[in-house]
Amino acid sequence: MQIVVLAGGVGGSKFVQGVRRAHPEATITVVGNTADDITLHGLRVCPDLDTMMYTLGGGGDDARGWGRLDESWRVLGELSAYGLEPSWFSLGDLDLGTHLVRTQMLEAGYPLTEVTQALCARWLADDPGLRLLPMSDDRVETHVVIPDPDSPAGRRAVHFQEYWVRLHAVPEALEVVRVGIEAARPTAAVLAALAAADLVLVAPSNPVVSIGPILAVPGLRAALRATPAPVVGFAGILGGAPVLGMAHRLLPAIGVAVEAAAVGLHYGSRDAGGVLDLWVMDDRDAGSAAEVTGGGLAVTTTDLVMADADATAAFVRHALDRLPTGSAPAA
Amino acid sequence: MQIVVLAGGVGGSKFVQGVRRAHPEATITVVGNTADDITLHGLRVCPDLDTMMYTLGGGGDDARGWGRLDESWRVLGELSAYGLEPSWFSLGDLDLGTHLVRTQMLEAGYPLTEVTQALCARWLADDPGLRLLPMSDDRVETHVVIPDPDSPAGRRAVHFQEYWVRLHAVPEALEVVRVGIEAARPTAAVLAALAAADLVLVAPSNPVVSIGPILAVPGLRAALRATPAPVVGFAGILGGAPVLGMAHRLLPAIGVAVEAAAVGLHYGSRDAGGVLDLWVMDDRDAGSAAEVTGGGLAVTTTDLVMADADATAAFVRHALDRLPTGSAPAA
């Protein structure tokens, strides 16, 4: 079975671990968000791809939730001693090795897809059926517009990483801008994976800054709508709050309520111009299931807490059992 | 008193420490060799400037003789885990911070002189009378031609760092090529320092790959010959062998014998088209003093072993006492 997962970073990694647990024999292609990428100190950093790669490769710091196990910050201490800004992004020594390799390969002309493959050759060697693809080889960066009384316009845009890491998502997000998205294209590898998929899963990642950018790459929605595979989405909002991260700070900026049902309807049914065949919500959101079906989207509820890979595998299996008749993938 | 020192890395740093000890009140401008610079993993590395900066700033590893005190190599371990080449250059984590700052500043358009000044603001803050200048803002890289039976020409060129660090100076050096030297120019800061100098010292650094490139920057010899200050050179070859490094492997490639007298005559007397007013050799080379004076160059001998800063200060004072009449600098 060929499974494609659209995913962001931390939540996406946990989700993919559960998918692998549920389907040990499947080929899993993860399409990762690259719109939170940033260039720091001359190095190209891809936080979502790296979180995924480290976590799935057993080198991630699961307790902290990001970065490398056994990390240190000696280089960063030096940059700080020289007074180099920005100092708010915590670039670890081990992590920095990845960025040095990536930056060199990008500067040598390799597309990000090939760079990611080269990096994953180290991390995913134990699971040859698992691969990680950037959503696009083109540069897309999410900026968040926040209030700024000192600016003539009363507002200014900051890189998503600055909004998230330095500002802790405290300022109100007035607007989310994806710089470069119009010119971006999905890669041939992503399009081929979607065309050949038996099952497409949309991870319970942030709808605005993780799944949102993937769906916004011109041509990607069309590829999703054209795939012969059923497309199943999973809510990351449980009982009105995100399990991880700060989707609740960003959903208002795109006019979507901080509710699982609202996010499902935002993704929409394939029958009505959207991308999903089934939306999976947590049991505590069962009361709004009628709202989803009323919007033309099939829905099911289960326990969506990703306590561990087994728990995640259980809800993935549950969802596949509830697929609308005729759309279940061949095992 | 304004002292200018032309110097390479490790030996140069020790020498400058002795000069500072001998002349606590002087302004010391070190003109550092940049021809052993190299770009590694996309980062611009200036080994001589950095050795000088770290050592004079108290952050160098004097026991190892290069690099930073309390250094670690975690990033390098990562590059190696990814299979990134070259792996023979031991780039430490703390050192890497310097290269990241430098590379970013160079890419932002700052000349190496300003970059070095910015880095030294951290390291040399305790000695405002000491400053470090690159010999040139232009890129010059020393390559060493070595025998290669597998090559059609029977020889090939390797970067000096590869010759020194990876090959340990074992292959015969057939030729030393300074790539970029014809187009290089001394900086305005170097020319101004030489013009304003009361005393110019040529450190006992490698005559081929440290002092050689400095003297080879077009216009620098003329500036040395025009300075009102006396120019005193110190031998790094003591009793027929270099105190540090592998000058004995490289001198043959430029047709100079591995002897202090030969190196002095290679630099030459200012009266006869060279750059020196006085050549200082170790006592054990006293037997060849007549050879030097026979070549028209004033010479003196003393104990040139740089056991510590006091020993170095002592031989610097000795040399100044022996300056030819009328050329002694104002105190």
Side-chain angles (χ1 to χ4, degrees):
Chain A
M1 181 161 67
Q2 308 269 341
I3 303 178
V4 175
V5 183
L6 312 189
V10 180
S13 318
K14 285 172 173 250
F15 181 73
V16 171
Q17 287 175 315
V19 174
R20 167 53 81 217
R21 183 66 55 92
H23 296 281
E25 309 298 333
T27 296
I28 302 177
T29 301
V30 180
V31 177
N33 169 47
T34 55
D36 61 352
D37 293 4
I38 188 167
T39 298
L40 282 168
H41 313 309
L43 302 176
R44 191 67 181 160
V45 181
C46 301
D48 272 7
L49 293 181
D50 289 346
T51 295
M52 198 86 68
M53 183 173 80
Y54 297 151
T55 306
L56 298 175
D61 188 322
D62 295 338
R64 193 172 55 231
W66 54 270
R68 293 283 303 277
L69 258 182
D70 189 30
E71 185 56 287
S72 53
W73 288 269
R74 301 200 82 205
V75 177
L76 191 69
E78 289 301 300
L79 301 184
S80 164
Y82 281 118
L84 193 71
E85 293 294 339
S87 56
W88 47 262
F89 197 94
S90 182
L91 210 56
D93 298 329
L94 301 182
D95 195 30
L96 207 137
T98 300
H99 310 320
L100 275 169
V101 176
R102 173 187 294 120
T103 303
Q104 271 201 280
M105 288 191 70
L106 289 172
E107 286 182 0
Y110 290 98
L112 185 59
T113 297
E114 285 185 50
V115 174
T116 306
Q117 185 182 5
L119 296 170
C120 286
R122 170 181 173 199
W123 291 102
L124 304 184
D126 289 345
D127 187 350
L130 176 61
R131 75 183 167 143
L132 178 59
L133 298 175
M135 67 188 199
S136 176
D137 286 333
D138 302 309
R139 179 170 166 179
V140 178
E141 293 191 19
T142 301
H143 286 66
V144 180
V145 180
I146 60 173
D148 181 2
D150 295 337
S151 145
R155 44 196 272 160
R156 71 189 165 102
V158 296
H159 192 285
F160 166 68
Q161 294 295 344
E162 184 172 357
Y163 181 74
W164 174 223
V165 178
R166 185 172 82 83
L167 300 172
H168 306 290
V170 169
E172 183 188 358
L174 302 171
E175 196 180 339
V176 173
V177 181
R178 298 182 183 119
V179 179
I181 195 76
E182 296 82 1
R185 288 184 309 182
T187 64
V190 166
L191 294 177
L194 287 172
D198 299 303
L199 176 64
V200 178
L201 304 176
V202 178
S205 302
N206 190 310
V208 185
V209 293
S210 294
I211 303 301
I214 300 176
L215 297 179
V217 176
L220 210 138
R221 289 177 75 93
L224 263 181
R225 291 172 50 71
T227 180
V231 182
V232 182
F234 294 81
I237 306 285
L238 279 60
V243 187
L244 272 172
M246 39 62 212
H248 60 295
R249 299 294 298 153
L250 293 167
L251 281 166
I254 63 165
V256 175
V258 186
E259 290 165 13
V263 172
L265 293 171
H266 170 66
Y267 291 152
S269 162
R270 280 217 279 187
D271 293 338
V275 298
L276 298 181
D277 295 305
L278 177 66
W279 180 235
V280 186
M281 306 194 297
D282 189 68
D283 285 329
R284 75 194 86 167
D285 295 307
S288 59
E291 187 187 332
V292 179
T293 49
L297 177 59
V299 68
T300 183
T301 68
T302 183
D303 179 355
L304 280 190
V305 177
M306 296 191 283
D308 54 29
D310 284 333
T312 307
F315 75 62
V316 168
R317 284 193 205 96
H318 167 94
L320 298 196
D321 290 343
R322 299 303 183 289
L323 273 176
T325 319
S327 69
Chain B
M1 181 162 64
Q2 307 270 342
I3 303 179
V4 175
V5 183
L6 313 189
V10 180
S13 317
K14 284 171 174 253
F15 181 74
V16 172
Q17 287 175 316
V19 174
R20 166 53 80 217
R21 182 68 54 93
H23 296 281
E25 309 298 333
T27 296
I28 301 177
T29 301
V30 180
V31 177
N33 170 46
T34 56
D36 61 351
D37 292 4
I38 188 168
T39 298
L40 282 168
H41 314 308
L43 302 177
R44 191 68 181 160
V45 181
C46 301
D48 273 7
L49 293 182
D50 289 346
T51 295
M52 197 86 68
M53 183 172 79
Y54 296 152
T55 305
L56 298 175
D61 188 322
D62 295 338
R64 193 172 55 232
W66 54 271
R68 293 283 303 277
L69 258 182
D70 188 30
E71 186 56 288
S72 53
W73 288 269
R74 303 200 81 206
V75 176
L76 192 69
E78 289 300 299
L79 301 184
S80 164
Y82 282 118
L84 193 71
E85 294 293 340
S87 56
W88 47 262
F89 196 93
S90 183
L91 209 56
D93 298 328
L94 301 183
D95 195 29
L96 206 138
T98 300
H99 310 320
L100 275 169
V101 176
R102 173 187 293 119
T103 303
Q104 272 201 280
M105 287 191 71
L106 289 172
E107 286 182 0
Y110 291 97
L112 185 60
T113 297
E114 285 185 49
V115 174
T116 305
Q117 186 182 5
L119 296 170
C120 286
R122 170 182 173 198
W123 291 102
L124 304 183
D126 289 346
D127 187 350
L130 176 61
R131 74 182 168 145
L132 178 59
L133 298 176
M135 67 189 198
S136 176
D137 285 333
D138 302 309
R139 180 170 165 177
V140 178
E141 292 190 19
T142 301
H143 286 66
V144 180
V145 179
I146 60 174
D148 180 4
D150 295 337
S151 144
R155 44 195 272 161
R156 71 189 165 100
V158 297
H159 192 286
F160 166 69
Q161 294 296 344
E162 183 172 358
Y163 180 75
W164 175 224
V165 178
R166 184 170 83 84
L167 301 172
H168 306 290
V170 169
E172 183 188 359
L174 302 171
E175 196 180 337
V176 173
V177 181
R178 298 182 184 118
V179 179
I181 195 77
E182 296 83 359
R185 288 184 308 183
T187 64
V190 167
L191 294 177
L194 287 172
D198 299 303
L199 176 64
V200 177
L201 305 176
V202 179
S205 301
N206 189 310
V208 186
V209 294
S210 294
I211 303 300
I214 300 175
L215 297 179
V217 176
L220 210 138
R221 289 177 75 93
L224 264 180
R225 292 173 50 70
T227 180
V231 183
V232 182
F234 294 80
I237 306 285
L238 279 60
V243 187
L244 272 172
M246 39 64 212
H248 60 296
R249 299 295 297 154
L250 292 168
L251 281 166
I254 63 165
V256 175
V258 186
E259 289 165 13
V263 173
L265 293 171
H266 170 66
Y267 291 151
S269 162
R270 281 217 278 188
D271 293 337
V275 298
L276 298 181
D277 295 305
L278 177 65
W279 180 234
V280 186
M281 304 195 299
D282 190 68
D283 286 329
R284 77 195 85 168
D285 296 307
S288 58
E291 188 186 330
V292 179
T293 49
L297 178 59
V299 69
T300 183
T301 67
T302 184
D303 178 356
L304 280 191
V305 177
M306 296 192 282
D308 54 30
D310 284 333
T312 306
F315 75 62
V316 169
R317 285 193 204 96
H318 168 95
L320 298 196
D321 289 343
R322 299 303 182 287
L323 273 176
T325 319
S327 69

